[in-house]
Tab-separated table of all heavy atoms in Angstrom:
chain	number	residue	atom	x	y	z
A	14	MET	N	-45.341	-68.124	58.808
A	14	MET	CA	-44.836	-66.729	58.666
A	14	MET	C	-43.767	-66.624	57.617
A	14	MET	O	-42.883	-67.443	57.496
A	14	MET	CB	-44.182	-66.353	60.070
A	14	MET	CG	-44.232	-64.828	60.226
A	14	MET	SD	-43.345	-64.349	61.727
A	14	MET	CE	-44.575	-64.761	62.956
A	15	SER	N	-43.893	-65.661	56.768
A	15	SER	CA	-42.870	-65.548	55.696
A	15	SER	C	-41.645	-64.748	56.152
A	15	SER	O	-41.794	-63.871	57.062
A	15	SER	CB	-43.480	-64.807	54.497
A	15	SER	OG	-43.804	-63.529	54.834
A	16	GLN	N	-40.523	-65.095	55.647
A	16	GLN	CA	-39.277	-64.452	55.952
A	16	GLN	C	-39.019	-63.417	54.892
A	16	GLN	O	-39.271	-63.566	53.754
A	16	GLN	CB	-38.179	-65.412	56.106
A	16	GLN	CG	-38.285	-66.403	57.257
A	16	GLN	CD	-37.059	-67.307	57.232
A	16	GLN	OE1	-36.308	-67.377	56.357
A	16	GLN	NE2	-36.913	-68.005	58.407
A	17	ARG	N	-38.480	-62.292	55.359
A	17	ARG	CA	-38.104	-61.198	54.426
A	17	ARG	C	-36.795	-61.519	53.773
A	17	ARG	O	-35.929	-62.138	54.337
A	17	ARG	CB	-37.935	-59.794	55.152
A	17	ARG	CG	-39.261	-59.244	55.617
A	17	ARG	CD	-38.986	-57.930	56.200
A	17	ARG	NE	-40.232	-57.260	56.479
A	17	ARG	CZ	-40.299	-56.039	57.041
A	17	ARG	NH1	-39.218	-55.444	57.365
A	17	ARG	NH2	-41.445	-55.538	57.334
A	18	MET	N	-36.713	-61.087	52.538
A	18	MET	CA	-35.450	-61.171	51.864
A	18	MET	C	-34.453	-60.199	52.493
A	18	MET	O	-34.892	-59.166	52.970
A	18	MET	CB	-35.591	-60.880	50.365
A	18	MET	CG	-36.497	-61.823	49.617
A	18	MET	SD	-36.649	-61.497	47.859
A	18	MET	CE	-36.500	-59.742	47.638
A	19	PRO	N	-33.177	-60.485	52.529
A	19	PRO	CA	-32.282	-59.621	53.141
A	19	PRO	C	-32.192	-58.232	52.651
A	19	PRO	O	-31.989	-57.251	53.374
A	19	PRO	CB	-30.921	-60.339	52.872
A	19	PRO	CG	-31.143	-61.677	52.527
A	19	PRO	CD	-32.572	-61.735	51.944
A	20	ASP	N	-32.500	-58.009	51.363
A	20	ASP	CA	-32.455	-56.710	50.784
A	20	ASP	C	-33.781	-55.960	50.856
A	20	ASP	O	-33.911	-54.848	50.367
A	20	ASP	CB	-32.010	-56.816	49.335
A	20	ASP	CG	-30.556	-57.262	49.160
A	20	ASP	OD1	-29.778	-56.961	50.055
A	20	ASP	OD2	-30.358	-57.946	48.151
A	21	TYR	N	-34.802	-56.610	51.389
A	21	TYR	CA	-36.097	-55.979	51.434
A	21	TYR	C	-36.124	-54.735	52.204
A	21	TYR	O	-36.757	-53.695	51.793
A	21	TYR	CB	-37.112	-57.024	52.109
A	21	TYR	CG	-38.545	-56.530	51.986
A	21	TYR	CD1	-39.244	-56.513	50.792
A	21	TYR	CD2	-39.225	-56.124	53.150
A	21	TYR	CE1	-40.552	-56.090	50.720
A	21	TYR	CE2	-40.582	-55.697	53.075
A	21	TYR	CZ	-41.153	-55.657	51.859
A	21	TYR	OH	-42.454	-55.212	51.764
A	22	ASP	N	-35.457	-54.732	53.391
A	22	ASP	CA	-35.491	-53.433	54.198
A	22	ASP	C	-34.749	-52.336	53.456
A	22	ASP	O	-35.193	-51.201	53.495
A	22	ASP	CB	-34.829	-53.693	55.535
A	22	ASP	CG	-35.762	-54.582	56.415
A	22	ASP	OD1	-37.021	-54.498	56.290
A	22	ASP	OD2	-35.174	-55.291	57.276
A	23	ALA	N	-33.688	-52.691	52.783
A	23	ALA	CA	-32.942	-51.671	51.995
A	23	ALA	C	-33.774	-51.150	50.876
A	23	ALA	O	-33.778	-49.993	50.534
A	23	ALA	CB	-31.593	-52.234	51.496
A	24	LEU	N	-34.498	-52.077	50.226
A	24	LEU	CA	-35.399	-51.626	49.141
A	24	LEU	C	-36.478	-50.706	49.638
A	24	LEU	O	-36.753	-49.670	49.002
A	24	LEU	CB	-36.052	-52.884	48.493
A	24	LEU	CG	-36.992	-52.632	47.322
A	24	LEU	CD1	-36.308	-51.952	46.171
A	24	LEU	CD2	-37.664	-53.971	46.921
A	25	LEU	N	-37.060	-50.969	50.795
A	25	LEU	CA	-38.080	-50.131	51.432
A	25	LEU	C	-37.505	-48.753	51.677
A	25	LEU	O	-38.146	-47.743	51.513
A	25	LEU	CB	-38.651	-50.759	52.623
A	25	LEU	CG	-39.619	-51.948	52.445
A	25	LEU	CD1	-40.039	-52.486	53.788
A	25	LEU	CD2	-40.794	-51.497	51.575
A	26	ALA	N	-36.262	-48.735	52.194
A	26	ALA	CA	-35.608	-47.454	52.558
A	26	ALA	C	-35.356	-46.630	51.344
A	26	ALA	O	-35.649	-45.433	51.309
A	26	ALA	CB	-34.280	-47.724	53.290
A	27	ARG	N	-34.925	-47.229	50.238
A	27	ARG	CA	-34.668	-46.540	48.980
A	27	ARG	C	-35.935	-46.001	48.359
A	27	ARG	O	-36.029	-44.892	47.889
A	27	ARG	CB	-34.026	-47.487	47.986
A	27	ARG	CG	-32.488	-47.625	48.168
A	27	ARG	CD	-31.792	-48.175	47.010
A	27	ARG	NE	-32.459	-49.363	46.404
A	27	ARG	CZ	-32.126	-50.633	46.632
A	27	ARG	NH1	-31.119	-50.875	47.457
A	27	ARG	NH2	-32.805	-51.659	46.066
A	28	GLU	N	-36.990	-46.808	48.469
A	28	GLU	CA	-38.285	-46.410	47.980
A	28	GLU	C	-38.811	-45.202	48.785
A	28	GLU	O	-39.301	-44.183	48.215
A	28	GLU	CB	-39.366	-47.488	48.044
A	28	GLU	CG	-40.741	-47.112	47.576
A	28	GLU	CD	-41.758	-48.124	47.661
A	28	GLU	OE1	-41.531	-49.176	48.336
A	28	GLU	OE2	-42.828	-47.931	47.194
A	29	SER	N	-38.634	-45.228	50.095
A	29	SER	CA	-39.034	-44.087	50.919
A	29	SER	C	-38.293	-42.854	50.590
A	29	SER	O	-38.871	-41.739	50.486
A	29	SER	CB	-38.782	-44.448	52.392
A	29	SER	OG	-39.213	-43.415	53.217
A	30	GLU	N	-36.974	-42.955	50.392
A	30	GLU	CA	-36.165	-41.869	50.005
A	30	GLU	C	-36.565	-41.263	48.647
A	30	GLU	O	-36.627	-40.026	48.491
A	30	GLU	CB	-34.693	-42.251	50.014
A	30	GLU	CG	-34.101	-42.477	51.378
A	30	GLU	CD	-32.715	-43.186	51.298
A	30	GLU	OE1	-32.211	-43.383	50.188
A	30	GLU	OE2	-32.165	-43.475	52.365
A	31	SER	N	-36.889	-42.168	47.767
A	31	SER	CA	-37.329	-41.736	46.409
A	31	SER	C	-38.608	-40.944	46.482
A	31	SER	O	-38.789	-39.922	45.837
A	31	SER	CB	-37.458	-42.949	45.483
A	31	SER	OG	-36.236	-43.497	45.207
A	32	ARG	N	-39.562	-41.490	47.275
A	32	ARG	CA	-40.819	-40.797	47.452
A	32	ARG	C	-40.694	-39.417	48.079
A	32	ARG	O	-41.341	-38.489	47.686
A	32	ARG	CB	-41.738	-41.617	48.308
A	32	ARG	CG	-42.295	-42.894	47.544
A	32	ARG	CD	-43.180	-43.727	48.457
A	32	ARG	NE	-43.608	-44.926	47.869
A	32	ARG	CZ	-44.727	-45.035	47.133
A	32	ARG	NH1	-45.497	-43.995	46.911
A	32	ARG	NH2	-45.036	-46.212	46.568
A	33	GLU	N	-39.782	-39.290	49.028
A	33	GLU	CA	-39.459	-38.011	49.695
A	33	GLU	C	-38.840	-37.068	48.619
A	33	GLU	O	-39.277	-35.877	48.641
A	33	GLU	CB	-38.548	-38.245	50.853
A	33	GLU	CG	-38.274	-36.982	51.664
A	33	GLU	CD	-37.378	-37.252	52.810
A	33	GLU	OE1	-37.399	-38.295	53.349
A	33	GLU	OE2	-36.703	-36.302	53.190
A	34	ARG	N	-37.975	-37.495	47.862
A	34	ARG	CA	-37.376	-36.641	46.812
A	34	ARG	C	-38.451	-36.168	45.803
A	34	ARG	O	-38.443	-34.975	45.422
A	34	ARG	CB	-36.228	-37.306	46.112
A	34	ARG	CG	-34.923	-37.350	46.952
A	34	ARG	CD	-33.773	-37.745	46.107
A	34	ARG	NE	-33.895	-38.961	45.362
A	34	ARG	CZ	-33.582	-40.167	45.807
A	34	ARG	NH1	-33.136	-40.289	47.021
A	34	ARG	NH2	-33.776	-41.210	45.029
A	35	ILE	N	-39.303	-37.046	45.460
A	35	ILE	CA	-40.332	-36.694	44.524
A	35	ILE	C	-41.314	-35.650	45.092
A	35	ILE	O	-41.697	-34.720	44.476
A	35	ILE	CB	-41.128	-37.926	44.014
A	35	ILE	CG1	-40.202	-38.777	43.116
A	35	ILE	CG2	-42.453	-37.582	43.252
A	35	ILE	CD1	-40.753	-40.184	42.835
A	36	ALA	N	-41.697	-35.871	46.392
A	36	ALA	CA	-42.497	-34.906	47.030
A	36	ALA	C	-41.864	-33.538	47.092
A	36	ALA	O	-42.515	-32.507	46.931
A	36	ALA	CB	-42.856	-35.416	48.433
A	37	LYS	N	-40.530	-33.487	47.461
A	37	LYS	CA	-39.884	-32.195	47.467
A	37	LYS	C	-39.765	-31.559	46.127
A	37	LYS	O	-39.905	-30.355	45.981
A	37	LYS	CB	-38.396	-32.484	47.959
A	37	LYS	CG	-38.286	-32.731	49.494
A	37	LYS	CD	-36.903	-32.927	49.915
A	37	LYS	CE	-36.779	-33.250	51.324
A	37	LYS	NZ	-35.323	-33.422	51.764
A	38	ALA	N	-39.595	-32.346	45.073
A	38	ALA	CA	-39.564	-31.789	43.697
A	38	ALA	C	-40.887	-31.214	43.321
A	38	ALA	O	-40.950	-30.112	42.754
A	38	ALA	CB	-39.094	-32.873	42.707
A	39	LEU	N	-41.966	-31.933	43.651
A	39	LEU	CA	-43.318	-31.390	43.324
A	39	LEU	C	-43.513	-30.081	44.067
A	39	LEU	O	-44.125	-29.183	43.527
A	39	LEU	CB	-44.361	-32.451	43.652
A	39	LEU	CG	-44.369	-33.630	42.719
A	39	LEU	CD1	-45.349	-34.737	43.273
A	39	LEU	CD2	-44.690	-33.282	41.365
A	40	TYR	N	-43.106	-30.031	45.345
A	40	TYR	CA	-43.268	-28.821	46.106
A	40	TYR	C	-42.450	-27.656	45.481
A	40	TYR	O	-42.951	-26.586	45.365
A	40	TYR	CB	-42.828	-29.070	47.567
A	40	TYR	CG	-42.920	-27.891	48.473
A	40	TYR	CD1	-44.183	-27.404	48.846
A	40	TYR	CD2	-41.789	-27.172	48.843
A	40	TYR	CE1	-44.230	-26.239	49.628
A	40	TYR	CE2	-41.872	-26.092	49.654
A	40	TYR	CZ	-43.071	-25.591	50.008
A	40	TYR	OH	-43.133	-24.456	50.812
A	41	GLU	N	-41.260	-27.994	45.087
A	41	GLU	CA	-40.416	-27.002	44.462
A	41	GLU	C	-41.038	-26.493	43.125
A	41	GLU	O	-41.022	-25.297	42.807
A	41	GLU	CB	-38.938	-27.517	44.179
A	41	GLU	CG	-38.078	-26.520	43.454
A	41	GLU	CD	-37.642	-25.453	44.298
A	41	GLU	OE1	-37.721	-25.458	45.561
A	41	GLU	OE2	-37.146	-24.387	43.688
A	42	ILE	N	-41.675	-27.354	42.343
A	42	ILE	CA	-42.288	-27.022	41.121
A	42	ILE	C	-43.490	-26.030	41.436
A	42	ILE	O	-43.602	-24.939	40.761
A	42	ILE	CB	-42.785	-28.260	40.358
A	42	ILE	CG1	-41.630	-28.972	39.765
A	42	ILE	CG2	-43.789	-27.862	39.279
A	42	ILE	CD1	-42.029	-30.347	39.234
A	43	GLU	N	-44.194	-26.341	42.426
A	43	GLU	CA	-45.324	-25.469	42.802
A	43	GLU	C	-44.849	-24.032	43.295
A	43	GLU	O	-45.449	-23.098	42.960
A	43	GLU	CB	-46.226	-26.132	43.896
A	43	GLU	CG	-47.056	-27.266	43.425
A	43	GLU	CD	-47.981	-26.794	42.314
A	43	GLU	OE1	-48.671	-25.771	42.444
A	43	GLU	OE2	-48.163	-27.558	41.353
A	44	LEU	N	-43.799	-24.085	44.023
A	44	LEU	CA	-43.212	-22.813	44.445
A	44	LEU	C	-42.764	-21.996	43.287
A	44	LEU	O	-42.989	-20.783	43.162
A	44	LEU	CB	-41.973	-23.041	45.424
A	44	LEU	CG	-42.292	-23.445	46.823
A	44	LEU	CD1	-40.990	-23.610	47.601
A	44	LEU	CD2	-43.101	-22.364	47.512
A	45	GLN	N	-42.032	-22.594	42.336
A	45	GLN	CA	-41.548	-21.915	41.178
A	45	GLN	C	-42.755	-21.456	40.398
A	45	GLN	O	-42.674	-20.263	39.880
A	45	GLN	CB	-40.674	-22.849	40.359
A	45	GLN	CG	-39.356	-23.188	40.901
A	45	GLN	CD	-38.467	-24.023	40.044
A	45	GLN	OE1	-38.705	-24.191	38.882
A	45	GLN	NE2	-37.434	-24.566	40.575
A	46	ARG	N	-43.742	-22.177	40.163
A	46	ARG	CA	-44.902	-21.827	39.348
A	46	ARG	C	-45.596	-20.620	40.035
A	46	ARG	O	-45.948	-19.740	39.335
A	46	ARG	CB	-45.915	-23.013	39.303
A	46	ARG	CG	-47.075	-22.730	38.357
A	46	ARG	CD	-47.976	-23.857	38.272
A	46	ARG	NE	-47.305	-24.990	37.687
A	46	ARG	CZ	-47.752	-26.253	37.835
A	46	ARG	NH1	-48.858	-26.524	38.483
A	46	ARG	NH2	-47.036	-27.232	37.277
A	47	GLY	N	-45.678	-20.651	41.326
A	47	GLY	CA	-46.350	-19.505	42.087
A	47	GLY	C	-45.566	-18.233	42.000
A	47	GLY	O	-46.085	-17.189	42.017
A	48	ASN	N	-44.203	-18.323	41.886
A	48	ASN	CA	-43.355	-17.146	41.767
A	48	ASN	C	-43.001	-16.812	40.310
A	48	ASN	O	-42.152	-15.928	40.148
A	48	ASN	CB	-42.060	-17.430	42.554
A	48	ASN	CG	-42.373	-17.519	44.013
A	48	ASN	OD1	-43.270	-16.825	44.585
A	48	ASN	ND2	-41.674	-18.381	44.775
A	49	GLY	N	-43.498	-17.502	39.349
A	49	GLY	CA	-43.215	-17.228	37.953
A	49	GLY	C	-41.773	-17.565	37.583
A	49	GLY	O	-41.234	-17.004	36.636
A	50	ILE	N	-41.184	-18.511	38.290
A	50	ILE	CA	-39.804	-18.911	38.042
A	50	ILE	C	-39.825	-20.235	37.268
A	50	ILE	O	-40.615	-21.121	37.535
A	50	ILE	CB	-39.062	-19.058	39.335
A	50	ILE	CG1	-39.048	-17.746	40.132
A	50	ILE	CG2	-37.606	-19.585	39.110
A	50	ILE	CD1	-38.550	-17.904	41.576
A	51	HIS	N	-38.778	-20.475	36.465
A	51	HIS	CA	-38.617	-21.732	35.794
A	51	HIS	C	-37.142	-22.126	35.928
A	51	HIS	O	-36.287	-21.580	35.236
A	51	HIS	CB	-38.990	-21.622	34.314
A	51	HIS	CG	-38.910	-22.971	33.603
A	51	HIS	ND1	-39.672	-24.038	33.850
A	51	HIS	CD2	-37.967	-23.330	32.680
A	51	HIS	CE1	-39.333	-25.087	33.088
A	51	HIS	NE2	-38.282	-24.628	32.334
A	52	CYS	N	-36.785	-23.021	36.825
A	52	CYS	CA	-35.495	-23.452	37.020
A	52	CYS	C	-35.355	-25.018	37.153
A	52	CYS	O	-35.394	-25.537	38.265
A	52	CYS	CB	-34.948	-22.761	38.275
A	52	CYS	SG	-33.157	-23.085	38.521
A	53	PRO	N	-35.325	-25.672	36.008
A	53	PRO	CA	-35.328	-27.132	36.031
A	53	PRO	C	-34.128	-27.732	36.776
A	53	PRO	O	-34.148	-28.854	37.301
A	53	PRO	CB	-35.256	-27.573	34.521
A	53	PRO	CG	-35.480	-26.392	33.782
A	53	PRO	CD	-35.363	-25.177	34.681
A	54	SER	N	-33.021	-27.041	36.892
A	54	SER	CA	-31.855	-27.595	37.537
A	54	SER	C	-32.047	-27.808	38.976
A	54	SER	O	-31.544	-28.788	39.540
A	54	SER	CB	-30.617	-26.690	37.349
A	54	SER	OG	-30.820	-25.415	37.876
A	55	ASN	N	-32.869	-26.941	39.658
A	55	ASN	CA	-33.223	-27.195	41.050
A	55	ASN	C	-33.987	-28.481	41.250
A	55	ASN	O	-33.694	-29.241	42.131
A	55	ASN	CB	-34.099	-25.965	41.588
A	55	ASN	CG	-33.335	-24.760	41.759
A	55	ASN	OD1	-32.106	-24.780	41.702
A	55	ASN	ND2	-34.056	-23.693	42.093
A	56	ILE	N	-34.944	-28.753	40.290
A	56	ILE	CA	-35.703	-29.970	40.318
A	56	ILE	C	-34.741	-31.153	40.117
A	56	ILE	O	-34.863	-32.179	40.801
A	56	ILE	CB	-36.828	-29.980	39.282
A	56	ILE	CG1	-37.697	-28.699	39.355
A	56	ILE	CG2	-37.659	-31.203	39.347
A	56	ILE	CD1	-38.280	-28.422	40.707
A	57	LYS	N	-33.861	-31.038	39.186
A	57	LYS	CA	-32.915	-32.156	38.920
A	57	LYS	C	-32.055	-32.432	40.105
A	57	LYS	O	-31.871	-33.644	40.443
A	57	LYS	CB	-32.037	-31.741	37.720
A	57	LYS	CG	-31.050	-32.864	37.290
A	57	LYS	CD	-30.198	-32.418	36.131
A	57	LYS	CE	-29.139	-33.410	35.824
A	57	LYS	NZ	-28.170	-32.947	34.816
A	58	HIS	N	-31.558	-31.420	40.790
A	58	HIS	CA	-30.747	-31.651	41.971
A	58	HIS	C	-31.547	-32.404	43.071
A	58	HIS	O	-31.039	-33.275	43.754
A	58	HIS	CB	-30.170	-30.433	42.525
A	58	HIS	CG	-29.110	-29.806	41.687
A	58	HIS	ND1	-27.845	-30.441	41.407
A	58	HIS	CD2	-29.043	-28.613	40.949
A	58	HIS	CE1	-27.168	-29.662	40.659
A	58	HIS	NE2	-27.857	-28.560	40.291
A	59	ILE	N	-32.787	-31.994	43.242
A	59	ILE	CA	-33.661	-32.631	44.271
A	59	ILE	C	-33.873	-34.073	43.913
A	59	ILE	O	-33.710	-34.954	44.738
A	59	ILE	CB	-35.036	-31.938	44.329
A	59	ILE	CG1	-34.849	-30.495	44.923
A	59	ILE	CG2	-36.008	-32.676	45.213
A	59	ILE	CD1	-36.044	-29.658	44.921
A	60	LEU	N	-34.242	-34.385	42.627
A	60	LEU	CA	-34.462	-35.752	42.253
A	60	LEU	C	-33.252	-36.666	42.290
A	60	LEU	O	-33.285	-37.836	42.576
A	60	LEU	CB	-35.093	-35.802	40.880
A	60	LEU	CG	-36.574	-35.212	40.754
A	60	LEU	CD1	-36.929	-35.128	39.342
A	60	LEU	CD2	-37.465	-35.994	41.631
A	61	GLU	N	-32.102	-36.016	42.050
A	61	GLU	CA	-30.803	-36.827	42.112
A	61	GLU	C	-30.341	-36.923	43.546
A	61	GLU	O	-29.373	-37.683	43.812
A	61	GLU	CB	-29.734	-36.131	41.219
A	61	GLU	CG	-30.054	-36.240	39.785
A	61	GLU	CD	-29.060	-35.432	38.943
A	61	GLU	OE1	-28.256	-34.618	39.444
A	61	GLU	OE2	-29.087	-35.757	37.699
A	62	GLY	N	-30.934	-36.281	44.453
A	62	GLY	CA	-30.488	-36.414	45.886
A	62	GLY	C	-29.374	-35.531	46.202
A	62	GLY	O	-28.590	-35.832	47.182
A	63	ASN	N	-29.052	-34.548	45.455
A	63	ASN	CA	-27.940	-33.667	45.696
A	63	ASN	C	-28.289	-32.490	46.524
A	63	ASN	O	-29.346	-32.009	46.504
A	63	ASN	CB	-27.302	-33.104	44.367
A	63	ASN	CG	-26.729	-34.214	43.544
A	63	ASN	OD1	-26.342	-35.261	44.027
A	63	ASN	ND2	-26.852	-34.097	42.243
């Protein structure tokens, strides 16, 4: 049985958070596109986790 590196769980958590932010940003882009809005700062805030 292989042992996990100590940082492996932290790495998985960060990856999961990043994927969630990307999904939210893509959703925001679709909302903006549907409403004829262009606001890149909203996307930037989502991707930066703010």
Side-chain angles (χ1 to χ4, degrees):
M14 203 186 283
S15 65
Q16 293 182 345
R17 287 185 174 178
M18 297 182 328
D20 294 329
Y21 186 72
D22 290 330
L24 179 62
L25 287 177
R27 282 195 311 263
E28 179 183 10
S29 178
E30 291 169 1
S31 295
R32 288 178 185 270
E33 185 177 331
R34 283 194 305 273
I35 291 168
K37 285 180 183 179
L39 290 172
Y40 179 73
E41 178 69 21
I42 290 169
E43 287 300 317
L44 283 178
Q45 288 183 16
R46 185 179 299 163
N48 293 324
I50 300 169
H51 180 70
C52 188
S54 62
N55 286 352
I56 308 305
K57 182 180 176 187
H58 288 297
I59 291 169
L60 292 173
E61 290 176 345
N63 297 329

